[in-house]
Amino acid sequence: MKILVINAGSSSLKYQLIDMETENVMAKGLCERIGIDGHLKHTPLVGGKPVYNEDIALPTHAEAIAAVIDKLTSAEYGVVASMKEIDAVGHRVVHGGEKFACSVKIDDEVMAALEECTPFAPLHNPANITGINACREVMGDVPMVAVFDTAFHQTMPGKAFMYAVPYDYYKNDGIRRYGFHGTSHRYVSARCAELMGKPIEELKIVSCHMGNGSSLAAIDGGKCVDTSMGFTPLVGLPMGTRCGDLDAGVIQFIMNKYGMNIDEMLAVLNKKSGVLGVSGVSSDFRDLDNAAAEGNERAQLALDMFHYWVAKVAGSYVAAMNGVDAIIFTAGVGENSKSSRKAIAEYFGYLGVEIDDEANSKRGEDIMISTPDSKVKVFVIPTNEELVIARDTKAICC
C-alpha cells in the first residue's frame, strides 16, 4: 500500500509518498509560492532518479497537486507508474476542535465540520481545507483521511483544559485549551516506550517539541493529560516569534499606549515577539547561539528564558503526573541543539538526571542522552509526523 501524505499551507504544500509495506519514504517534495510565481522541489528516494528543482506555474493548490502527481509518475523523476498506485492520501489538519478526538476518513460531513473549526485556526485550517479540496479535485475517489494536531490532546481532563472564565464561554463558544503538535507528541512518546522496552501504559513521559513553534506535553499511560499551548498556538513557552504566556493586562496597556487595534497587537505577539523580540537578533536558535558566543547579552537572555521556561513547564508536569520516567527532546531545536538540551537538563538534577555529553553530541538518531544510572531517562527522538499520518491513513482505509 502506498500513501501520499499532504501538509498544505496557505502558499505551500509539503508531501511524502510512503510505501507502507516497509514504511520507507519513496519520494518527498515541497511546492512553494503557490498563487505567486511557483516553485517545486521533488526528491525521489528510490530508483536513482534525479531531483527536480525548478520554478513552475502554480496558480492554485489544484495545480500544485497536479504537478506533484506528474512528478511522482513521470518517467524521469517518478517512483510509481501511475496515480492508480497511490492507494490513499493522509492530510495534516491543524485544528479539529472537540469534534475530532481521532483521525477520520474524509467525506462531505467531515469537510463541513472542518469549516466549523476554522475560527479556531484561521491561519491554518483554510489552507488545510484548500489542500484537501485540491486533492479531491485532482485525484477523484482516492480515499482520504484527516489527521489532527489537536486530537491527541483530547484526553486532557477538564481541570487541565478549562480556563477560569465564565463557563458559558466554553459551553457556547468552545473557549478552552486545545493544544497542538499532537501528532509529534504521539509519535515520540510511543517511540520512547519502544526504546525503553516497556508498555507505554506504564510510563509517565514529558515530551518537549522544541522548534520555531514549541510545546510540551505531559503523557501519562500513553494519554495526554496536559499541554502548554492553548486555545491557539500563541501561548506556553516563548518561541521563535510568539510571546508564550503573557498577562492579558500587558496587551491592554500596549494597545492603549500605542493606539493599536487587536489585529496589530496579535501581529506583534505572533510575529515580532518570542526570542526574536527579546534578542533583537533572530528567531533562529542557531543565530542566537552564535550571537551569544560573541557576547550578545540579549541573545543570551533569550536563550536563558527559553531554557528556563521549558524546564519550568516540564517540572510542573512532573508534579501533575506525580512522577516522570522519561523526558524527550524533539523537533528542530530539540533534535539539533546539544547546548539547549544540556542547559535545560541542568535544571533536572532534582530528578536524578545526568547527561552523557558524548551521547548528547550526536544528531539525527534515536538516542538516550542521560547516563545509564540516571533515575529519569532523557531521550532525543527525531519526530516523524508524516509516518503517523500514513499509519492512521492505512488503518482507516484498509
Side-chain angles (χ1 to χ4, degrees):
M1 185 177 193
K2 297 178 178 64
I3 291 175
L4 180 62
V5 176
I6 297 290
N7 182 354
S10 58
S11 62
S12 66
L13 188 147
K14 292 191 289 186
Y15 65 92
Q16 288 188 6
L17 183 66
I18 301 176
D19 183 344
M20 294 309 294
E21 290 188 12
T22 61
E23 294 193 339
N24 290 331
V25 179
M26 302 177 68
K28 63 181 181 179
L30 172 64
C31 298
E32 295 182 283
R33 300 178 63 81
I34 298 171
I36 307 172
D37 46 16
H39 186 90
L40 170 59
K41 182 177 182 180
H42 168 80
T43 305
L45 298 173
V46 295
K49 302 292 183 68
V51 172
Y52 178 90
N53 190 15
E54 301 287 345
D55 292 336
I56 180 174
L58 300 173
T60 72
H61 282 73
E63 281 83 5
I65 291 293
V68 169
I69 298 299
D70 177 68
K71 291 298 174 285
L72 288 171
T73 59
S74 72
E76 186 174 1
Y77 304 101
V79 294
V80 293
S82 73
M83 191 174 72
K84 292 181 180 180
E85 292 189 43
I86 301 174
D87 298 287
V89 182
H91 291 270
R92 179 203 179 206
V93 179
V94 168
H95 215 304
E98 290 189 321
K99 297 178 182 295
F100 300 105
C102 59
S103 303
V104 295
K105 189 173 183 178
I106 296 170
D107 56 21
D108 291 342
E109 185 177 345
V110 168
M111 293 302 294
L114 296 186
E115 293 284 359
E116 292 178 15
C117 292
T118 292
F120 296 140
L123 299 179
H124 297 90
N125 268 35
N128 301 152
I129 291 168
T130 297
I132 294 170
N133 285 333
C135 279
R136 295 175 94 188
E137 177 183 339
V138 173
M139 303 183 73
D141 58 359
V142 175
M144 301 189 188
V145 169
V147 180
F148 302 92
D149 282 9
T150 52
F152 182 65
H153 304 301
Q154 286 297 300
T155 53
M156 286 191 295
K159 64 184 179 182
F161 73 69
M162 284 295 296
Y163 291 119
V165 296
Y167 189 81
D168 282 350
Y169 290 126
Y170 166 66
K171 182 179 178 181
N172 298 331
D173 305 305
I175 303 300
R176 52 158 287 178
R177 183 182 303 278
Y178 287 102
F180 301 88
H181 299 139
T183 309
S184 175
H185 291 302
R186 178 178 153 201
Y187 173 80
V188 298
S189 58
R191 181 62 182 141
C192 180
E194 291 178 9
L195 294 172
M196 295 180 73
K198 295 183 178 181
I200 196 169
E201 292 78 11
E202 298 178 3
L203 296 174
K204 298 178 180 182
I205 297 170
V206 175
S207 172
C208 307
H209 179 108
M210 304 180 339
N212 192 263
S214 299
S215 70
L216 270 62
I219 303 164
D220 192 349
K223 296 182 178 179
C224 178
V225 295
D226 206 344
T227 192
S228 59
M229 283 182 169
F231 181 68
T232 74
L234 181 60
V235 299
L237 313 174
M239 302 171 232
T241 62
R242 299 175 195 152
C243 63
D245 282 1
L246 183 69
D247 182 343
V250 173
I251 298 173
Q252 180 189 40
F253 179 90
I254 293 174
M255 289 176 65
N256 287 341
K257 181 170 183 178
Y258 295 100
M260 292 184 183
N261 61 39
I262 190 61
D263 291 333
E264 292 169 330
M265 186 73 252
L266 284 175
V268 170
L269 299 180
N270 272 296
K271 299 178 180 180
K272 299 180 180 180
S273 299
V275 297
L276 169 64
V278 172
S279 70
V281 173
S282 177
S283 62
D284 190 311
F285 282 73
R286 293 168 295 187
D287 296 335
L288 296 182
D289 284 335
N290 292 334
E294 294 173 357
N296 187 308
E297 293 183 359
R298 284 175 55 186
Q300 187 61 59
L301 174 62
L303 289 168
D304 290 344
M305 289 173 63
F306 178 76
H307 300 153
Y308 174 76
W309 268 90
V310 173
K312 182 170 76 167
V313 174
S316 74
Y317 290 169
V318 175
M321 294 188 292
N322 193 22
V324 65
D325 298 296
I327 297 168
I328 304 166
F329 293 118
T330 193
V333 176
E335 294 171 25
N336 295 299
S337 177
K338 65 180 182 180
S339 59
S340 284
R341 294 194 298 260
K342 178 77 170 179
I344 293 164
E346 286 177 351
Y347 285 97
F348 298 147
Y350 72 101
L351 296 173
V353 168
E354 292 185 23
I355 295 299
D356 180 330
D357 289 332
E358 182 179 351
N360 189 42
S361 66
K362 296 182 180 180
R363 294 174 57 184
E365 60 183 286
D366 299 332
I367 189 168
M368 187 175 79
I369 62 171
S370 53
T371 57
D373 59 346
S374 290
K375 294 179 181 179
V376 174
K377 307 305 180 186
V378 181
F379 293 88
V380 177
I381 301 177
T383 193
N384 195 337
E385 296 166 280
E386 291 81 8
L387 182 57
V388 174
I389 293 170
R391 286 174 174 171
D392 278 12
T393 302
K394 178 183 178 181
I396 290 170
C397 291
C398 284

